[in-house]
Amino acid sequence: MQATNANGCPRHNGDSSSTDLQNGACPSSTNGQINGETEEISPKIKSQTDKDIIRLIGQHLRSLGLNRTTEQLIQESGCRLDHPAAEKFQMHVINGEWLKAELDLNELKSLLEVPHVLVEMKFLLLEQKYLEHLENGHVLEALQCLRGELTPLKHNTTRVHELSSYMMCSTGEELRGMAQWDGKGTLSRQKLMEKLQTFLPPSVMLPPRRLQTLLSQALELQRDHCLYHNTRATNSLENESLLTDHVCTKEQFPCDTVQILNDHCDEVWFCRFSNNGQKLATGSKDSTVIIWDIDPVTLELRHRKTLEGHSYGLSYLSWSPDDNYLVACGRDDCSDLWVWNVETGNLRVKMNNSPEDSLTSCAWHRDGKKFVTGGSRGQFFQCDLDGTVLDSWEGVRVSACGARNDGKTVLAADTHYRIRGYNFEELTDFNIIQEDHEIMSFTCDNTGRLALLNVATQGVHLWDLEDKVLIRKFQGITQGYYLIHSCFGGNNQDFVASGSEDNKVYIWHIKREKPIAVLTGHTRTINCVSWNPAYPSMLASASDDGTVRIWGPTEQYWVKRKHRGQSTSYNSSSNTAV
């Protein structure tokens, strides 16, 4: 067998120094056979980086079935893709030659960085051998493998007991289902080989699809540095060009006013898109809630229904998880709460527990059957859809609230500048966040881990609720003691937006403190912003100037798409402009 160095390059007895061979250098010349002819080859590969690149290219070519091209690359470069012992091992595994594969392990032992993993590798081989015997109906051979080969290893006894239970399977289909295994053949053996490769150093055998992995990592890094990247996260390389750097322009970001909603006749205090992104609810000082429908083709908003009969101005709205119901809350002196059926436009219940209550904030549990509500006078209730108080927590002065994804814990910001967690079922509470100034409002991202706080005189703060640490203070916003609601947004919630007392909308990338966009057009304080969860290029803002503005990509963006022959409509299923 031809000797090789640790990097899989063939060694020859010649003028190459022992130092060069130890460093993985390719020999100064090799005799290669190309198209049946033997010719002298003078390798041009000098650096280790170039050798690594050759191996990566060769692996990819081989995966495409270009075997002759791969062999020519190996001959001309003088460097193998993998160590000969590893190549032989892989061939025996894919062919199901288990005895030969076990013998190969002895050759590989000296090449392993951690020799004791040899037992795990042998266990995996025998496990595949055992399963294939069972599928073939060779029960005696399977039993011999289990008792005579797997058990004596004294390794992973729990798995051995689990494997023994598969003896009871009466059909191959039952075996594959119980073992969650693909069955005898190339697919399961390839998966086995990929597991085995994790134990081999990359100098001996390249990890599977290494070139694709590196390219995916490079694209991911470029996306992370792209300020305006606002398309669905994917590890696929299919829709990306490898010939140019990834870049998204500000033109495709929601920076232009595309529609102004003027139907309210007083200050607009709140706006919130539905969870499915198909509707917008707005609440105003004029004591009405307006429900707007979004045209999925033009993305224009149309007045659907005005919900009337509220005693006070509407300062907070919350959609149920299924978007069938909407809870509406008033300002500090409001003791009423309204639960609306959005589809019918009918009031399901007007809740009034006591005239002394202050119900100014609410949040739904994820089951959509209960919600919590509270206010600054010390009321904190858990209610059902009919407004019946199921549980209450005395003495909690709530300025804002939310529900965790666990379905049990409720978050509440109080007058002590804290956000605390409350479990109504177990009657337990605990501190999560402590600020130095009053928390005017907060919202959580989809994961429930990050929280965005609007803090009096301080602006917008980003907190990690799990680690209980302040991650970032966003710059630019003017925030005094007005109630302003910020939001997460974008396809992957990579952005943060907030209104401001200087009549502007500020947008930040979640990893940067300075704004990447400042939107102008409103003439008074912007109380609330909401990012559409289905159409990530749509943002709404509600202002004291009595209007709601809808922000979208620039006109130039749509003109360029049209010029390139691309559709100017929107595909909500893929969450991207098409």
Side-chain angles (χ1 to χ4, degrees):
M1 181 182 294
Q2 186 182 41
T4 64
N5 62 31
N7 292 296
C9 297
R11 294 181 179 174
H12 298 264
N13 294 324
D15 297 333
S16 299
S17 68
S18 60
T19 302
D20 288 339
L21 293 174
Q22 290 170 1
N23 292 331
C26 295
S28 59
S29 65
T30 65
N31 288 327
Q33 191 171 30
I34 302 176
N35 298 326
E37 299 180 3
T38 302
E39 59 177 313
E40 193 76 14
I41 299 175
S42 298
K44 300 177 182 179
I45 310 305
K46 301 296 183 183
S47 72
Q48 186 60 49
T49 299
D50 288 338
K51 295 171 190 175
D52 291 344
I53 293 173
I54 289 293
R55 294 181 68 202
L56 293 171
I57 293 173
Q59 184 193 47
H60 185 64
L61 291 174
R62 182 172 285 173
S63 73
L64 296 175
L66 303 176
N67 295 322
R68 292 181 59 190
T69 305
T70 305
E71 290 306 314
Q72 185 170 353
L73 178 65
I74 292 172
Q75 291 291 338
E76 189 171 354
S77 65
C79 292
R80 288 182 177 272
L81 303 188
D82 299 314
H83 193 285
E87 288 184 340
K88 184 174 62 170
F89 177 62
Q90 183 178 40
M91 180 183 67
H92 290 152
V93 170
I94 298 301
N95 291 337
E97 300 175 271
W98 306 119
L99 181 58
K100 292 181 180 180
E102 286 183 59
L103 293 175
D104 294 335
L105 288 177
N106 295 326
E107 285 189 60
L108 292 170
K109 184 176 181 180
S110 62
L111 302 174
L112 297 175
E113 293 177 344
V114 186
H116 72 263
V117 302
L118 200 68
V119 177
E120 174 67 17
M121 296 178 73
K122 186 173 183 179
F123 185 91
L124 291 172
L125 279 176
L126 293 173
E127 180 183 45
Q128 178 80 9
K129 176 183 176 181
Y130 167 76
L131 291 172
E132 291 196 9
H133 276 318
L134 280 182
E135 187 178 48
N136 289 332
H138 301 157
V139 179
L140 292 179
E141 289 86 342
L143 189 60
Q144 171 58 31
C145 179
L146 183 68
R147 291 180 176 177
E149 298 180 85
L150 277 165
T151 302
L153 289 177
K154 297 181 180 180
H155 178 77
N156 199 351
T157 54
T158 302
R159 178 59 176 165
V160 172
H161 293 153
E162 186 178 348
L163 290 171
S164 66
S165 68
Y166 300 158
M167 297 284 290
M168 305 302 295
C169 295
S170 57
T171 65
E173 184 178 359
E174 184 181 358
L175 171 66
R176 292 189 293 272
M178 183 177 291
Q180 295 183 336
W181 178 58
D182 293 306
K184 176 183 176 182
T186 303
L187 180 59
S188 65
R189 292 172 183 173
Q190 188 63 50
K191 289 182 178 180
L192 168 63
M193 191 61 221
E194 292 187 5
K195 289 181 183 178
L196 294 167
Q197 280 182 253
T198 61
F199 300 106
L200 298 173
S203 60
V204 175
M205 175 169 270
L206 285 171
R209 299 174 292 278
R210 183 59 184 160
L211 182 59
Q212 290 95 321
T213 299
L214 289 172
L215 292 173
S216 295
Q217 291 172 348
L219 284 172
E220 184 178 353
L221 182 64
Q222 289 184 20
R223 293 189 197 107
D224 285 344
H225 286 80
C226 179
L227 289 179
Y228 303 106
H229 184 68
N230 193 22
T231 56
R232 178 175 292 175
T234 175
N235 293 324
S236 173
L237 300 174
E238 295 299 322
N239 298 322
E240 297 280 357
S241 171
L242 301 180
L243 306 181
T244 58
D245 287 344
H246 172 88
V247 61
C248 297
T249 66
K250 192 175 180 180
E251 290 179 352
Q252 63 195 73
F253 212 64
C255 292
D256 273 19
T257 299
V258 295
Q259 191 175 0
I260 300 176
L261 310 179
N262 295 296
D263 292 28
H264 285 292
C265 58
D266 209 328
E267 299 171 359
V268 187
W269 288 344
F270 199 82
C271 62
R272 179 69 55 85
F273 284 108
S274 59
N275 298 294
N276 63 12
Q278 304 307 310
K279 295 180 177 63
L280 175 71
T282 58
S284 170
K285 185 179 179 180
D286 65 11
S287 300
T288 66
V289 172
I290 298 179
I291 305 297
W292 308 82
D293 282 330
I294 299 170
D295 188 303
V297 177
T298 65
L299 295 188
E300 291 184 358
L301 278 74
R302 299 170 182 162
H303 189 142
R304 174 191 178 96
K305 181 77 174 179
T306 299
L307 308 179
E308 300 178 317
H310 307 95
S311 310
Y312 302 82
L314 280 307
S315 63
Y316 196 85
L317 306 170
S318 182
W319 292 89
S320 63
D322 60 7
D323 293 327
N324 288 333
Y325 297 99
L326 185 74
V327 173
C329 302
R331 280 286 170 111
D332 289 345
D333 54 352
C334 180
S335 60
D336 297 331
L337 177 148
W338 296 263
V339 180
W340 292 92
N341 185 315
V342 178
E343 291 303 314
T344 65
N346 296 327
L347 179 66
R348 177 170 180 127
V349 64
K350 176 183 177 182
M351 175 182 166
N352 188 319
N353 185 65
S354 166
E356 303 301 318
D357 289 346
S358 174
L359 305 179
T360 58
S361 181
C362 62
W364 289 85
H365 282 288
R366 66 178 182 180
D367 63 6
K369 298 178 180 179
K370 300 187 299 290
F371 62 87
V372 293
T373 183
S376 59
R377 295 178 183 172
Q379 292 78 30
F380 195 21
F381 303 131
Q382 182 165 258
C383 311
D384 63 16
L385 281 173
D386 295 319
T388 303
V389 176
L390 304 175
D391 305 282
S392 63
W393 210 294
E394 297 297 328
V396 180
R397 298 181 181 273
V398 177
S399 58
C401 61
R404 299 299 298 269
N405 292 339
D406 61 9
K408 299 178 181 179
T409 309
V410 175
L411 303 179
D414 59 28
T415 53
H416 298 285
Y417 313 156
R418 305 172 301 185
I419 290 183
R420 291 176 60 80
Y422 297 86
N423 188 314
F424 279 87
E425 296 177 5
E426 300 174 2
L427 295 180
T428 57
D429 60 321
F430 50 92
N431 199 45
I432 300 178
I433 287 176
Q434 180 67 61
E435 279 280 3
D436 295 328
H437 298 78
E438 184 178 357
I439 300 172
M440 308 301 292
S441 67
F442 76 88
T443 187
C444 297
D445 73 343
N446 289 340
T447 69
R449 176 160 190 160
L450 300 179
L452 201 59
L453 282 62
N454 281 75
V455 184
T457 72
Q458 302 299 301
V460 182
H461 294 177
L462 179 67
W463 281 81
D464 186 316
L465 299 179
E466 298 295 332
D467 294 338
K468 301 179 181 180
V469 295
L470 175 62
I471 298 175
R472 191 160 289 108
K473 295 181 179 181
F474 296 106
Q475 300 177 11
I477 181 179
T478 301
Q479 169 99 50
Y481 288 92
Y482 284 125
L483 180 59
I484 293 176
H485 298 272
S486 55
C487 70
F488 292 94
N491 227 313
N492 310 302
Q493 295 207 308
D494 288 333
F495 305 102
V496 166
S498 179
S500 175
E501 293 179 19
D502 63 2
N503 314 337
K504 300 173 184 176
V505 175
Y506 287 81
I507 301 176
W508 301 268
H509 192 282
I510 199 168
K511 295 181 180 179
R512 291 169 172 82
E513 294 182 357
K514 294 184 178 180
I516 62 172
V518 179
L519 314 184
T520 60
H522 285 293
T523 57
R524 293 183 63 187
T525 295
I526 299 169
N527 302 302
C528 184
V529 292
S530 181
W531 211 304
N532 194 304
Y535 307 112
S537 292
M538 177 184 287
L539 179 71
S541 58
S543 170
D544 280 351
D545 64 13
T547 68
V548 175
R549 283 181 178 253
I550 307 300
W551 308 86
T554 65
E555 183 66 26
Q556 290 88 339
Y557 170 72
W558 298 114
V559 170
K560 288 180 180 179
R561 290 189 65 85
K562 187 175 182 180
H563 180 71
R564 292 195 297 263
Q566 295 172 298
S567 171
T568 55
S569 63
Y570 209 93
N571 185 346
S572 61
S573 62
S574 63
N575 286 350
T576 55
V578 297

